[in-house]
Amino acid sequence: MSVRFLNVDVEVRDSVDLTSLGAALEALGRGASLLYCGEIEPDRWMLSFEAYLDTMDDPDAVAAACCAAVEQLPPAARARWDAAEDRVFDFGFDAAIDGHVGQPVLSPATLARLAAVDARLAVSVYTHDLVSRETSPNEAAGDN
């Protein structure tokens, strides 16, 4: 299986409006790109952002850039970040079956920065069905 790093989405969820935090992230300019900020259901808010670098193939560097965005927030926005119910750095990977296994690694320094901004770490792996269901051995044998 080969694994290719896609991105880090930072998601914040709370029962309180996150618009001010979103505005502060947008004000950082190129440091952070706001993907979404809004109410996802009554009294449930979500904010999502990414950091962009010239090279996006290093999960450690992208995670560090996301941490830097949080670390650069003005005090009121940082207080809003700290008060949120949940903060997660979601690492996205694309996986395909081809015999190669990759093991992206985060440095201890980046892991410490994630802890310092009080964020959880998640990993999303997107897989692709490379064999169509019509040709699967189970279906051909009538097992489905």
Side-chain angles (χ1 to χ4, degrees):
M1 176 188 311
S2 98
V3 178
R4 182 176 60 92
F5 172 67
L6 298 172
N7 64 357
V8 176
D9 288 340
V10 180
E11 293 184 358
V12 181
R13 295 175 190 265
D14 204 357
S15 59
V16 177
D17 187 339
L18 296 168
T19 304
S20 63
L21 179 57
L25 285 163
E26 282 187 313
L28 295 176
R30 187 161 152 75
S33 177
L34 190 63
L35 301 173
Y36 179 80
C37 183
E39 197 171 24
I40 54 175
E41 59 185 62
D43 298 321
R44 295 299 311 154
W45 289 79
M46 185 181 94
L47 175 148
S48 178
F49 77 90
E50 294 179 329
Y52 288 102
L53 304 174
D54 291 335
T55 177
M56 293 292 290
D57 61 354
D58 180 356
D60 190 71
V62 176
C66 291
C67 287
V70 174
E71 294 161 352
Q72 294 171 21
L73 288 169
R78 179 58 191 264
R80 186 70 208 95
W81 166 275
D82 291 338
E85 294 170 4
D86 190 37
R87 297 156 301 279
V88 61
F89 282 48
D90 187 357
F91 291 72
F93 295 90
D94 190 25
I97 298 171
D98 71 358
H100 179 266
V101 176
Q103 294 183 333
V105 178
L106 296 179
S107 70
T110 299
L111 288 170
R113 288 174 82 180
L114 280 168
V117 298
D118 198 21
R120 294 183 306 118
L121 185 141
V123 176
S124 296
V125 179
Y126 305 97
T127 60
H128 304 280
D129 184 7
L130 300 178
V131 178
S132 74
R133 290 189 51 82
E134 291 101 57
T135 60
S136 76
N138 290 340
E139 189 167 320
D143 291 344
N144 287 345

